[in-house]
Amino acid sequence: EVQLVESGGGSVQAGGSLRLACIASGVSFVDSDVGWYRQAPGAEYELLATLIRGGQPWVQDSVKGRFTITQDNARNTVYLQMNSLKPEDTAVYYCAAEATIHFVAGGSGRGDFKYWGQGTQVTVSS
């Protein structure tokens, strides 16, 4: 059974930082594709960052310079470091693994990846 579990969310003031973690079982991040998404209330899923087949990390332009995706292969864990947080970053954040044939540049939604975590809430206050 494949399971992805996110952690590290919470409430933080604008300008603060959080590090999200995604621990996987049943799938190896080093051999797979991994992505971070977020969904704000009433909004669509937004692709934030990816590591595709061990390639170079990619980060969405809107969060580039503030967000960084990394992985710890020994712990089968992927991280999303979020700095200089803004109120508009408030959302539920998800990790996902194994890109599908529906994955396109920039991302579109849950159909992009086969496996998804339950999400972790990030709330940024002004």
Side-chain angles (χ1 to χ4, degrees):
E1 178 181 334
V2 174
Q3 187 173 47
L4 307 177
V5 180
E6 302 99 334
S7 63
S11 297
V12 63
Q13 292 185 349
S17 299
L18 288 172
R19 187 178 71 161
L20 307 183
C22 178
I23 302 175
S25 61
V27 62
S28 176
F29 283 138
V30 71
D31 298 322
S32 184
D33 314 309
V34 59
W36 280 100
Y37 288 76
R38 68 185 178 189
Q39 186 181 39
E44 301 293 327
Y45 283 82
E46 180 185 13
L47 177 63
L48 299 173
T50 60
L51 284 171
I52 305 298
R53 298 178 180 178
Q56 290 190 334
W58 174 90
V59 180
Q60 181 71 259
D61 286 343
S62 62
V63 297
K64 190 176 298 182
R66 298 191 299 121
F67 290 14
T68 304
I69 185 171
T70 59
Q71 64 183 7
D72 184 335
N73 294 336
R75 294 178 171 82
N76 203 27
T77 302
V78 64
Y79 301 93
L80 185 68
Q81 178 68 45
M82 306 187 296
N83 299 324
S84 302
L85 285 164
K86 307 173 181 179
E88 51 262 45
D89 294 321
T90 295
V92 178
Y93 285 70
Y94 299 88
C95 67
E98 294 196 21
T100 72
I101 61 173
H102 301 291
F103 181 75
V104 297
S108 60
R110 292 184 67 90
D112 298 340
F113 285 81
K114 185 176 182 179
Y115 304 110
W116 290 76
Q118 83 289 346
T120 185
Q121 176 71 47
V122 171
T123 302
V124 184
S125 60
S126 59

